Amino acid sequence: MTTTVDWIAQRIKKDQIERYLDHGRDFIPDDAIWQKINDAREPAPEAVREILSRSLAVQTLTPDDLAMLIRVQDPGMLREMQEAALAVKKKVYDNRIVTFAPLYMGNYCVNNCAYCGFRHDNAEAKRRVLSMDEVRKETENLAGKIGHKRIIAVYGEHPMTGIDYILESMKTIYDVRVPTKHGYGNIRRINVNAAPMSVEELTQLRDGGLGTYQVFQETYHHETYAKLHPHGTLKSDYRWRLYAMHRAMEAGVDDVGIGVLFGLYDWRFEVMALLYHAIALESRMGIGPHTVSFPRLEPALNAAYATQSPYRVTDEDFKKIILLVRLAIPYTGMIITARETAQVRRDALLLGITQTDASTKIGIGGYSEARQDQQAERQQFMLGDTRSLDELVRDFADLGHITSFCTAGYRCGRTGKCIMELLRSGKEGKFCKLNAVLTFQEWLDDFATPGTREAGLKVMEKELEEIKKNNPQGFPAFYQFLERVRKGERDLFL
Ligand code: SAM
Ligand code: SF4
């Protein structure tokens, strides 16, 4: 039997790091990044507008462009940047917001990240891994009662939740199908947030129906990374983590999600580094990140750095971060989570966020077990927004946004290079609007409370008008699909 020590010893495949290095160097040059930030001066309005014109043409910005945008203080120019960010989002993603739920599978972990409640040395954490029966029950609630169609499955790094467990849990989730008022509910896309894996494991995940593979670098700053991830732990290998997405793409996983845990180090450096990561993926693998996530450091049980970090990010800076990433990597999806308050999430939506979670529970077993879900000792960190999916859909509808439950992307081949081209040309937004409407109708019929249904149908009216106007030839065929959904057919996509 493999012990935990043996398991750890076999995890990191050095050759799967070294083949990506450039003369022994990785793609985050700390000193050069700081130099760019320090050398940049507040740009003149014409220079800002020239940069924004490239964002609006869905071109990835250069690090020098971004360093200049970081410097902008002028309120008028900041307003222009916000308008451009929203215009970019509209062009690429229209007024859709995609929703999902996190599903925490277990909190055993061999690592000791200074900011996380799951860390190995936290003796106060109550440890648990969901059995497959429990995974099924959690899924039944998510898909049958709340109406989620996509989840992000979250795993600690531990042999109990290694690749075999991940694959088995994905199969269990995909197999659940729950009767609803007018049809059935099921999870149609599983994204995974788990520790870095080898190309071989990532190939298995791809074959198991993986949606997006998500790994956050936490901090890209080498020295800070070393300080927060103690030497000798698996996670202390910065480069094993940094090249996780290169390996994923090598394994044929087209959709990868990168992110920073904002609050661990200076946000200006981290935003620049996210851009370096996107550029490294684009130039080496031909595709940039499918999503960028913006977790912000929250208090966590028995994890002092989470409250003591000198780099904690204010709401104002947090919104600026979102704005800058929307402009710098204009094609990427952007995810904000329920760590944030309702107001921050609303503001972020208008700066270019494209995905968010709802009805979120991060206690292990939290969707199916009746108990105090916000119990700190079971959780990794505390949530800022515990609103239900129904409340969120209504809120977004009042802001004129349609909540999309579309999961067609990877099932109809719209991933990777194909989707990058659609995104860059602004076609994806229009195309996916149709599927967004179909899935929104499905959700409104099966799960919405009367008030939310009414608010949702109002937005739908407007969407239908737009589709009819912009795509008169395609409209009749699309409308037939919509009628079929209204009659109870489920999971139709174009
Ligand atoms: N163990 C895997 C890993 O570290 O990649 C994945 C699971 S971990 C639970 C998922 C993410 O939670 C981490 O990548 C980190 O960014 C975030 N996280 C950890 N501690 C946090 C805290 N105190 N506040 C907010 N987010 C936190
Ligand atoms: Fe483990 Fe991930 Fe938490 Fe670090 S962030 S302690 S690796 S669960």
Side-chain angles (χ1 to χ4, degrees), residues 106-120 154-157 193 195 218 229 235 241 261 380:
N107 59 353
Y108 280 89
C109 193
V110 295
N111 295 311
N112 252 323
C113 311
Y115 44 81
C116 180
F118 288 0
R119 73 200 166 81
H120 179 268
V154 186
Y155 304 82
E157 184 162 29
N193 181 311
E218 320 295 13
H229 305 103
K235 196 157 165 179
R241 201 167 182 87
L261 181 49
Q380 190 200 9

PDB file of all heavy atoms in Angstrom, residues 106-120 154-157 193 195 218 229 235 241 261 380, ligand 2:
ATOM      1  N   GLY A 106     -13.669  17.514  -0.152  1.00  0.00           N
ATOM      2  CA  GLY A 106     -12.942  17.043   1.030  1.00  0.00           C
ATOM      3  C   GLY A 106     -11.967  18.099   1.473  1.00  0.00           C
ATOM      4  O   GLY A 106     -11.589  18.963   0.685  1.00  0.00           O
ATOM      5  N   ASN A 107     -11.573  18.039   2.739  1.00  0.00           N
ATOM      6  CA  ASN A 107     -10.645  19.069   3.212  1.00  0.00           C
ATOM      7  C   ASN A 107      -9.374  18.475   3.820  1.00  0.00           C
ATOM      8  O   ASN A 107      -8.706  19.119   4.621  1.00  0.00           O
ATOM      9  CB  ASN A 107     -11.331  20.027   4.192  1.00  0.00           C
ATOM     10  CG  ASN A 107     -11.893  19.319   5.399  1.00  0.00           C
ATOM     11  OD1 ASN A 107     -11.882  18.096   5.460  1.00  0.00           O
ATOM     12  ND2 ASN A 107     -12.374  20.077   6.347  1.00  0.00           N
ATOM     13  N   TYR A 108      -9.059  17.240   3.431  1.00  0.00           N
ATOM     14  CA  TYR A 108      -7.745  16.706   3.803  1.00  0.00           C
ATOM     15  C   TYR A 108      -6.725  17.361   2.877  1.00  0.00           C
ATOM     16  O   TYR A 108      -6.965  17.483   1.678  1.00  0.00           O
ATOM     17  CB  TYR A 108      -7.684  15.195   3.607  1.00  0.00           C
ATOM     18  CG  TYR A 108      -8.320  14.431   4.737  1.00  0.00           C
ATOM     19  CD1 TYR A 108      -9.669  14.123   4.711  1.00  0.00           C
ATOM     20  CD2 TYR A 108      -7.561  14.028   5.838  1.00  0.00           C
ATOM     21  CE1 TYR A 108     -10.264  13.431   5.749  1.00  0.00           C
ATOM     22  CE2 TYR A 108      -8.141  13.336   6.881  1.00  0.00           C
ATOM     23  CZ  TYR A 108      -9.494  13.043   6.834  1.00  0.00           C
ATOM     24  OH  TYR A 108     -10.074  12.374   7.863  1.00  0.00           O
ATOM     25  N   CYS A 109      -5.606  17.778   3.432  1.00  0.00           N
ATOM     26  CA  CYS A 109      -4.596  18.388   2.586  1.00  0.00           C
ATOM     27  C   CYS A 109      -3.202  18.176   3.161  1.00  0.00           C
ATOM     28  O   CYS A 109      -3.010  18.275   4.376  1.00  0.00           O
ATOM     29  CB  CYS A 109      -4.866  19.885   2.418  1.00  0.00           C
ATOM     30  SG  CYS A 109      -3.850  20.567   1.095  1.00  0.00           S
ATOM     31  N   VAL A 110      -2.258  17.858   2.281  1.00  0.00           N
ATOM     32  CA  VAL A 110      -0.877  17.625   2.742  1.00  0.00           C
ATOM     33  C   VAL A 110      -0.081  18.936   2.814  1.00  0.00           C
ATOM     34  O   VAL A 110       1.037  18.951   3.298  1.00  0.00           O
ATOM     35  CB  VAL A 110      -0.120  16.642   1.812  1.00  0.00           C
ATOM     36  CG1 VAL A 110      -0.757  15.268   1.865  1.00  0.00           C
ATOM     37  CG2 VAL A 110      -0.063  17.169   0.377  1.00  0.00           C
ATOM     38  N   ASN A 111      -0.654  20.024   2.318  1.00  0.00           N
ATOM     39  CA  ASN A 111       0.087  21.284   2.269  1.00  0.00           C
ATOM     40  C   ASN A 111      -0.168  22.147   3.500  1.00  0.00           C
ATOM     41  O   ASN A 111      -1.027  21.844   4.319  1.00  0.00           O
ATOM     42  CB  ASN A 111      -0.275  22.043   0.995  1.00  0.00           C
ATOM     43  CG  ASN A 111       0.187  21.288  -0.222  1.00  0.00           C
ATOM     44  OD1 ASN A 111       1.335  20.851  -0.285  1.00  0.00           O
ATOM     45  ND2 ASN A 111      -0.707  21.086  -1.178  1.00  0.00           N
ATOM     46  N   ASN A 112       0.547  23.233   3.560  1.00  0.00           N
ATOM     47  CA  ASN A 112       0.473  24.083   4.748  1.00  0.00           C
ATOM     48  C   ASN A 112       0.415  25.556   4.368  1.00  0.00           C
ATOM     49  O   ASN A 112       1.121  26.383   4.968  1.00  0.00           O
ATOM     50  CB  ASN A 112       1.706  23.836   5.624  1.00  0.00           C
ATOM     51  CG  ASN A 112       1.294  23.070   6.871  1.00  0.00           C
ATOM     52  OD1 ASN A 112       0.199  23.306   7.418  1.00  0.00           O
ATOM     53  ND2 ASN A 112       2.134  22.170   7.315  1.00  0.00           N
ATOM     54  N   CYS A 113      -0.428  25.889   3.416  1.00  0.00           N
ATOM     55  CA  CYS A 113      -0.513  27.282   2.961  1.00  0.00           C
ATOM     56  C   CYS A 113      -0.917  28.170   4.141  1.00  0.00           C
ATOM     57  O   CYS A 113      -1.911  27.891   4.819  1.00  0.00           O
ATOM     58  CB  CYS A 113      -1.532  27.388   1.836  1.00  0.00           C
ATOM     59  SG  CYS A 113      -1.269  26.147   0.570  1.00  0.00           S
ATOM     60  N   ALA A 114      -0.159  29.241   4.329  1.00  0.00           N
ATOM     61  CA  ALA A 114      -0.296  30.045   5.556  1.00  0.00           C
ATOM     62  C   ALA A 114      -1.666  30.710   5.701  1.00  0.00           C
ATOM     63  O   ALA A 114      -2.025  31.156   6.782  1.00  0.00           O
ATOM     64  CB  ALA A 114       0.792  31.123   5.564  1.00  0.00           C
ATOM     65  N   TYR A 115      -2.439  30.757   4.595  1.00  0.00           N
ATOM     66  CA  TYR A 115      -3.692  31.517   4.583  1.00  0.00           C
ATOM     67  C   TYR A 115      -4.928  30.631   4.567  1.00  0.00           C
ATOM     68  O   TYR A 115      -6.047  31.121   4.546  1.00  0.00           O
ATOM     69  CB  TYR A 115      -3.701  32.414   3.330  1.00  0.00           C
ATOM     70  CG  TYR A 115      -3.229  31.651   2.102  1.00  0.00           C
ATOM     71  CD1 TYR A 115      -4.090  30.817   1.399  1.00  0.00           C
ATOM     72  CD2 TYR A 115      -1.884  31.700   1.695  1.00  0.00           C
ATOM     73  CE1 TYR A 115      -3.649  30.077   0.311  1.00  0.00           C
ATOM     74  CE2 TYR A 115      -1.445  30.968   0.608  1.00  0.00           C
ATOM     75  CZ  TYR A 115      -2.332  30.161  -0.076  1.00  0.00           C
ATOM     76  OH  TYR A 115      -1.885  29.409  -1.132  1.00  0.00           O
ATOM     77  N   CYS A 116      -4.764  29.298   4.539  1.00  0.00           N
ATOM     78  CA  CYS A 116      -5.911  28.415   4.262  1.00  0.00           C
ATOM     79  C   CYS A 116      -6.290  27.562   5.478  1.00  0.00           C
ATOM     80  O   CYS A 116      -5.425  26.962   6.119  1.00  0.00           O
ATOM     81  CB  CYS A 116      -5.581  27.504   3.082  1.00  0.00           C
ATOM     82  SG  CYS A 116      -6.928  26.377   2.674  1.00  0.00           S
ATOM     83  N   GLY A 117      -7.583  27.504   5.750  1.00  0.00           N
ATOM     84  CA  GLY A 117      -8.083  26.732   6.886  1.00  0.00           C
ATOM     85  C   GLY A 117      -7.944  25.221   6.703  1.00  0.00           C
ATOM     86  O   GLY A 117      -8.032  24.460   7.663  1.00  0.00           O
ATOM     87  N   PHE A 118      -7.735  24.783   5.459  1.00  0.00           N
ATOM     88  CA  PHE A 118      -7.587  23.334   5.213  1.00  0.00           C
ATOM     89  C   PHE A 118      -6.156  22.852   5.461  1.00  0.00           C
ATOM     90  O   PHE A 118      -5.872  21.669   5.360  1.00  0.00           O
ATOM     91  CB  PHE A 118      -7.905  23.012   3.745  1.00  0.00           C
ATOM     92  CG  PHE A 118      -9.361  23.108   3.374  1.00  0.00           C
ATOM     93  CD1 PHE A 118     -10.328  23.457   4.308  1.00  0.00           C
ATOM     94  CD2 PHE A 118      -9.771  22.840   2.075  1.00  0.00           C
ATOM     95  CE1 PHE A 118     -11.666  23.557   3.948  1.00  0.00           C
ATOM     96  CE2 PHE A 118     -11.109  22.931   1.708  1.00  0.00           C
ATOM     97  CZ  PHE A 118     -12.051  23.297   2.634  1.00  0.00           C
ATOM     98  N   ARG A 119      -5.250  23.770   5.758  1.00  0.00           N
ATOM     99  CA  ARG A 119      -3.821  23.394   5.782  1.00  0.00           C
ATOM    100  C   ARG A 119      -3.571  22.286   6.798  1.00  0.00           C
ATOM    101  O   ARG A 119      -4.235  22.202   7.835  1.00  0.00           O
ATOM    102  CB  ARG A 119      -2.946  24.624   6.011  1.00  0.00           C
ATOM    103  CG  ARG A 119      -2.970  25.156   7.368  1.00  0.00           C
ATOM    104  CD  ARG A 119      -2.509  26.602   7.422  1.00  0.00           C
ATOM    105  NE  ARG A 119      -2.891  27.091   8.734  1.00  0.00           N
ATOM    106  CZ  ARG A 119      -2.176  26.855   9.816  1.00  0.00           C
ATOM    107  NH1 ARG A 119      -1.039  26.204   9.730  1.00  0.00           N
ATOM    108  NH2 ARG A 119      -2.598  27.279  10.974  1.00  0.00           N
ATOM    109  N   HIS A 120      -2.604  21.459   6.485  1.00  0.00           N
ATOM    110  CA  HIS A 120      -2.342  20.227   7.214  1.00  0.00           C
ATOM    111  C   HIS A 120      -2.212  20.430   8.720  1.00  0.00           C
ATOM    112  O   HIS A 120      -2.748  19.677   9.529  1.00  0.00           O
ATOM    113  CB  HIS A 120      -1.077  19.576   6.643  1.00  0.00           C
ATOM    114  CG  HIS A 120      -0.703  18.313   7.327  1.00  0.00           C
ATOM    115  ND1 HIS A 120       0.173  18.274   8.402  1.00  0.00           N
ATOM    116  CD2 HIS A 120      -1.104  17.040   7.128  1.00  0.00           C
ATOM    117  CE1 HIS A 120       0.306  17.035   8.819  1.00  0.00           C
ATOM    118  NE2 HIS A 120      -0.462  16.266   8.054  1.00  0.00           N
ATOM    119  N   VAL A 154     -14.145  21.081  -5.930  1.00  0.00           N
ATOM    120  CA  VAL A 154     -12.926  21.566  -5.274  1.00  0.00           C
ATOM    121  C   VAL A 154     -12.336  20.468  -4.386  1.00  0.00           C
ATOM    122  O   VAL A 154     -13.056  19.861  -3.581  1.00  0.00           O
ATOM    123  CB  VAL A 154     -13.223  22.825  -4.420  1.00  0.00           C
ATOM    124  CG1 VAL A 154     -11.938  23.414  -3.846  1.00  0.00           C
ATOM    125  CG2 VAL A 154     -13.960  23.873  -5.238  1.00  0.00           C
ATOM    126  N   TYR A 155     -11.040  20.226  -4.537  1.00  0.00           N
ATOM    127  CA  TYR A 155     -10.374  19.134  -3.833  1.00  0.00           C
ATOM    128  C   TYR A 155      -9.131  19.640  -3.109  1.00  0.00           C
ATOM    129  O   TYR A 155      -8.358  20.422  -3.682  1.00  0.00           O
ATOM    130  CB  TYR A 155      -9.921  18.058  -4.819  1.00  0.00           C
ATOM    131  CG  TYR A 155     -11.022  17.494  -5.686  1.00  0.00           C
ATOM    132  CD1 TYR A 155     -11.440  18.172  -6.834  1.00  0.00           C
ATOM    133  CD2 TYR A 155     -11.649  16.299  -5.365  1.00  0.00           C
ATOM    134  CE1 TYR A 155     -12.446  17.661  -7.641  1.00  0.00           C
ATOM    135  CE2 TYR A 155     -12.660  15.776  -6.174  1.00  0.00           C
ATOM    136  CZ  TYR A 155     -13.051  16.465  -7.313  1.00  0.00           C
ATOM    137  OH  TYR A 155     -14.052  15.965  -8.106  1.00  0.00           O
ATOM    138  N   GLY A 156      -8.913  19.182  -1.875  1.00  0.00           N
ATOM    139  CA  GLY A 156      -7.632  19.419  -1.206  1.00  0.00           C
ATOM    140  C   GLY A 156      -6.595  18.506  -1.863  1.00  0.00           C
ATOM    141  O   GLY A 156      -6.946  17.594  -2.626  1.00  0.00           O
ATOM    142  N   GLU A 157      -5.332  18.724  -1.591  1.00  0.00           N
ATOM    143  CA  GLU A 157      -4.303  17.867  -2.193  1.00  0.00           C
ATOM    144  C   GLU A 157      -3.948  16.762  -1.207  1.00  0.00           C
ATOM    145  O   GLU A 157      -3.283  17.009  -0.186  1.00  0.00           O
ATOM    146  CB  GLU A 157      -3.059  18.691  -2.566  1.00  0.00           C
ATOM    147  CG  GLU A 157      -2.013  17.830  -3.282  1.00  0.00           C
ATOM    148  CD  GLU A 157      -0.978  18.654  -4.045  1.00  0.00           C
ATOM    149  OE1 GLU A 157      -0.697  19.789  -3.625  1.00  0.00           O
ATOM    150  OE2 GLU A 157      -0.444  18.135  -5.050  1.00  0.00           O
ATOM    151  N   ASN A 193     -11.247  22.392  -9.585  1.00  0.00           N
ATOM    152  CA  ASN A 193     -10.176  23.172  -8.952  1.00  0.00           C
ATOM    153  C   ASN A 193      -9.432  22.203  -8.055  1.00  0.00           C
ATOM    154  O   ASN A 193      -9.950  21.772  -7.018  1.00  0.00           O
ATOM    155  CB  ASN A 193     -10.771  24.330  -8.147  1.00  0.00           C
ATOM    156  CG  ASN A 193      -9.692  25.180  -7.489  1.00  0.00           C
ATOM    157  OD1 ASN A 193      -8.785  24.667  -6.848  1.00  0.00           O
ATOM    158  ND2 ASN A 193      -9.787  26.481  -7.636  1.00  0.00           N
ATOM    159  N   ALA A 195      -5.180  20.527  -7.121  1.00  0.00           N
ATOM    160  CA  ALA A 195      -3.741  20.790  -7.175  1.00  0.00           C
ATOM    161  C   ALA A 195      -3.182  20.456  -8.564  1.00  0.00           C
ATOM    162  O   ALA A 195      -3.805  19.714  -9.330  1.00  0.00           O
ATOM    163  CB  ALA A 195      -3.056  19.941  -6.122  1.00  0.00           C
ATOM    164  N   GLU A 218      -1.915  31.628  -6.736  1.00  0.00           N
ATOM    165  CA  GLU A 218      -1.996  32.278  -5.403  1.00  0.00           C
ATOM    166  C   GLU A 218      -1.202  33.580  -5.424  1.00  0.00           C
ATOM    167  O   GLU A 218      -1.774  34.640  -5.360  1.00  0.00           O
ATOM    168  CB  GLU A 218      -1.533  31.369  -4.248  1.00  0.00           C
ATOM    169  CG  GLU A 218      -1.951  29.893  -4.340  1.00  0.00           C
ATOM    170  CD  GLU A 218      -3.445  29.649  -4.252  1.00  0.00           C
ATOM    171  OE1 GLU A 218      -4.225  30.583  -4.350  1.00  0.00           O
ATOM    172  OE2 GLU A 218      -3.844  28.472  -4.124  1.00  0.00           O
ATOM    173  N   HIS A 229       4.290  29.123   1.343  1.00  0.00           N
ATOM    174  CA  HIS A 229       4.117  27.689   1.071  1.00  0.00           C
ATOM    175  C   HIS A 229       5.374  26.984   1.558  1.00  0.00           C
ATOM    176  O   HIS A 229       6.352  26.869   0.801  1.00  0.00           O
ATOM    177  CB  HIS A 229       3.877  27.467  -0.430  1.00  0.00           C
ATOM    178  CG  HIS A 229       2.714  28.267  -0.946  1.00  0.00           C
ATOM    179  ND1 HIS A 229       2.855  29.413  -1.681  1.00  0.00           N
ATOM    180  CD2 HIS A 229       1.389  28.098  -0.752  1.00  0.00           C
ATOM    181  CE1 HIS A 229       1.644  29.914  -1.953  1.00  0.00           C
ATOM    182  NE2 HIS A 229       0.742  29.125  -1.395  1.00  0.00           N
ATOM    183  N   LYS A 235       3.290  21.886  -2.358  1.00  0.00           N
ATOM    184  CA  LYS A 235       2.923  23.165  -2.984  1.00  0.00           C
ATOM    185  C   LYS A 235       4.085  24.150  -3.017  1.00  0.00           C
ATOM    186  O   LYS A 235       4.010  25.168  -3.698  1.00  0.00           O
ATOM    187  CB  LYS A 235       1.712  23.767  -2.266  1.00  0.00           C
ATOM    188  CG  LYS A 235       1.032  24.860  -3.057  1.00  0.00           C
ATOM    189  CD  LYS A 235      -0.405  25.039  -2.649  1.00  0.00           C
ATOM    190  CE  LYS A 235      -1.009  26.327  -3.154  1.00  0.00           C
ATOM    191  NZ  LYS A 235      -2.410  26.470  -2.765  1.00  0.00           N
ATOM    192  N   ARG A 241       3.477  24.301 -10.158  1.00  0.00           N
ATOM    193  CA  ARG A 241       2.188  24.970 -10.203  1.00  0.00           C
ATOM    194  C   ARG A 241       2.087  25.901 -11.425  1.00  0.00           C
ATOM    195  O   ARG A 241       1.091  25.944 -12.131  1.00  0.00           O
ATOM    196  CB  ARG A 241       1.995  25.765  -8.905  1.00  0.00           C
ATOM    197  CG  ARG A 241       0.551  26.097  -8.583  1.00  0.00           C
ATOM    198  CD  ARG A 241       0.396  26.594  -7.158  1.00  0.00           C
ATOM    199  NE  ARG A 241      -0.993  26.866  -6.872  1.00  0.00           N
ATOM    200  CZ  ARG A 241      -1.860  25.966  -6.434  1.00  0.00           C
ATOM    201  NH1 ARG A 241      -1.486  24.728  -6.189  1.00  0.00           N
ATOM    202  NH2 ARG A 241      -3.117  26.296  -6.207  1.00  0.00           N
ATOM    203  N   LEU A 261      -4.705  34.767  -5.640  1.00  0.00           N
ATOM    204  CA  LEU A 261      -5.412  35.019  -4.388  1.00  0.00           C
ATOM    205  C   LEU A 261      -5.017  36.432  -3.955  1.00  0.00           C
ATOM    206  O   LEU A 261      -3.942  36.646  -3.376  1.00  0.00           O
ATOM    207  CB  LEU A 261      -5.019  33.965  -3.340  1.00  0.00           C
ATOM    208  CG  LEU A 261      -5.692  34.084  -1.967  1.00  0.00           C
ATOM    209  CD1 LEU A 261      -7.205  34.243  -2.057  1.00  0.00           C
ATOM    210  CD2 LEU A 261      -5.351  32.872  -1.109  1.00  0.00           C
ATOM    211  N   GLN A 380     -13.122  26.572   4.722  1.00  0.00           N
ATOM    212  CA  GLN A 380     -11.807  27.056   4.341  1.00  0.00           C
ATOM    213  C   GLN A 380     -11.689  28.546   4.612  1.00  0.00           C
ATOM    214  O   GLN A 380     -10.651  29.054   4.934  1.00  0.00           O
ATOM    215  CB  GLN A 380     -11.656  26.755   2.858  1.00  0.00           C
ATOM    216  CG  GLN A 380     -10.309  26.952   2.313  1.00  0.00           C
ATOM    217  CD  GLN A 380     -10.392  27.109   0.812  1.00  0.00           C
ATOM    218  OE1 GLN A 380     -11.469  27.227   0.240  1.00  0.00           O
ATOM    219  NE2 GLN A 380      -9.256  27.115   0.186  1.00  0.00           N
TER     220      GLN A 380
HETATM  221 FE1  SF4 B   2      -4.409  22.733   0.760  1.00  0.00          FE
HETATM  222 FE2  SF4 B   2      -5.226  24.198  -1.345  1.00  0.00          FE
HETATM  223 FE3  SF4 B   2      -5.718  25.000   1.185  1.00  0.00          FE
HETATM  224 FE4  SF4 B   2      -3.263  25.081   0.297  1.00  0.00          FE
HETATM  225  S1  SF4 B   2      -5.006  26.271  -0.525  1.00  0.00           S
HETATM  226  S2  SF4 B   2      -3.895  24.251   2.286  1.00  0.00           S
HETATM  227  S3  SF4 B   2      -3.203  23.302  -1.018  1.00  0.00           S
HETATM  228  S4  SF4 B   2      -6.521  23.179   0.182  1.00  0.00           S
END
